[in-house]
Amino acid sequence: MPIVDDFEEHRPMLLGLAYRLLGSMWDAEDVVQEAWLRWQATDHAEIREPRAFLVTVVSRLALDQLRSARVKREAYTGPWLPEPVETAQAGPLDTAELRDTVSYATLHLMERLSPPERAVFVLREAFELPYDEIAEIVGSSVANARQLHHRASVRLAQGRDRFHPSSEEHTELLTKFIRAAGGGDLAALTELLHEDVVSYNDGGGKVRAALRPIVGRKKVATFLVALQARYAFKGWRFIEVNGMPAVATQVGGHPQLVMIDIRDGRISEIYGVLNPDKLARVGLA
């Protein structure tokens, strides 16, 4: 069945595209399923390039969903963080751009972008589409698509290192962090944190978590030590999430996934996902 074969050939790429646009694999799967229904209902004699057709359909569906999702996320209990996924579920990661745009820190940063900015950035950076095709997908002029990409690039570059640490460096710093936090070592913890570090905790109203981001080295270190004193960190182990190492652990009897971002050799962001609805893709729910 050529129609099925053509779609299935592109499914992993389409899931990766929708996930980058939405930050949720649950929503990405819904979008790709809707794209499949539209693909079935289309006269295929009129489709010259199946990949281009499917990328357009998925991008537009994801854009529509992203606009409505932003309203829901504004009413979310506490900070909204993307749904983490095991690296193998993130679609092809054949290029540095594909890997970077699926990294957890990048997905979180992309929440700052408008839906059109996010779509243009992902389509250009990760999937290397020409501006004329991107403009058609998002319904803008080519000049405006270029401007949207420039704006998105500038906003995402603010406060980030030009050079990303290796997986080994990332693992080493994450290990030191977990040991210091788990041992309640305030001095060691403070030394690992960037001066402007921010800690985000997503419980989604289902698990108790800080309702606002915690900002600054002293406040974050104090918060983590106090948290460890009240709720022991148990059974931590490494798993690979969104292309980088992360730590799965138990806090107060609840599973938690901890990820970090690094700037100037220190931890600049800490992401703690406790909402069980967001932990199924990493086997923790």
Side-chain angles (χ1 to χ4, degrees):
M1 297 177 66
I3 292 176
V4 175
D5 292 344
D6 280 345
F7 189 89
E8 290 304 318
E9 176 188 350
H10 297 298
R11 182 186 288 274
M13 178 272 296
L14 297 173
L15 278 171
L17 169 60
Y19 175 63
R20 285 168 174 80
L21 292 175
L22 296 167
S24 164
M25 189 59 80
W26 293 111
D27 292 336
E29 287 180 338
D30 288 344
V31 162
V32 172
Q33 180 60 27
E34 178 61 27
W36 161 244
L37 297 176
R38 297 193 182 193
W39 172 254
Q40 286 183 300
T42 300
D43 182 358
H44 292 265
E46 299 179 359
I47 300 175
R48 290 181 299 174
E49 297 181 21
R51 184 182 189 276
F53 173 86
L54 291 168
V55 165
T56 298
V57 171
V58 166
S59 298
R60 288 175 176 170
L61 288 170
L63 261 174
D64 289 342
Q65 187 152 330
L66 184 58
R67 291 185 178 104
S68 62
R70 286 169 69 89
V71 177
K72 296 178 183 177
R73 290 172 191 178
E74 288 173 0
Y76 191 80
T77 302
W80 187 92
L81 291 176
E83 177 192 358
V85 298
E86 291 185 355
T87 298
Q89 299 180 34
L93 298 177
D94 303 329
T95 66
E97 289 76 16
L98 281 167
R99 292 190 72 85
D100 183 60
T101 52
V102 84
S103 77
Y104 200 81
T106 301
L107 285 174
H108 182 245
L109 280 172
M110 284 198 289
E111 288 297 311
R112 302 177 183 179
L113 305 179
S114 69
E117 286 173 342
R118 185 166 183 163
V120 169
F121 180 80
V122 168
L123 291 169
R124 182 64 178 174
E125 292 291 318
F127 296 91
E128 300 179 331
L129 265 62
Y131 281 111
D132 57 341
E133 291 184 24
I134 295 173
E136 184 177 352
I137 289 172
V138 302
S140 74
S141 66
V142 172
N144 190 45
R146 289 180 183 274
Q147 183 61 30
L148 287 169
H149 179 259
H150 174 72
R151 273 207 311 263
S153 299
V154 169
R155 295 183 72 181
L156 293 180
Q158 290 172 349
R160 299 197 74 190
D161 278 341
R162 283 186 60 193
F163 304 103
H164 301 298
S166 68
S167 180
E168 291 76 17
E169 292 168 332
H170 195 104
T171 300
E172 181 181 1
L173 191 54
L174 183 55
T175 302
K176 290 179 179 178
F177 168 72
I178 291 296
R179 286 176 176 166
D185 190 336
L186 183 61
L189 195 55
T190 303
E191 181 62 26
L192 296 171
L193 301 178
H194 193 279
E195 181 181 357
D196 301 319
V197 64
V198 183
S199 175
Y200 303 91
N201 299 274
D202 182 345
K206 300 188 175 185
V207 176
R208 188 171 183 178
L211 295 177
R212 291 181 179 83
I214 301 163
V215 182
R217 179 188 291 159
K218 183 176 180 180
K219 288 183 178 180
V220 170
T222 302
F223 168 76
L224 291 171
V225 169
L227 189 67
Q228 190 279 335
R230 186 169 184 179
Y231 306 106
F233 292 80
K234 295 182 179 179
W236 62 276
R237 60 186 174 88
F238 280 105
I239 59 175
E240 188 174 285
V241 170
N242 292 75
M244 292 298 288
V247 166
T249 185
Q250 290 267 336
V251 180
H254 297 286
Q256 177 181 219
L257 188 69
V258 179
M259 295 149 287
I260 62 171
D261 196 23
I262 299 170
R263 186 164 81 246
D264 303 328
R266 286 191 165 98
I267 296 170
S268 56
E269 276 85 31
I270 303 164
Y271 310 104
V273 180
L274 297 101
N275 185 343
D277 294 343
K278 294 185 179 182
L279 294 175
R281 306 288 172 170
V282 291
L284 300 183

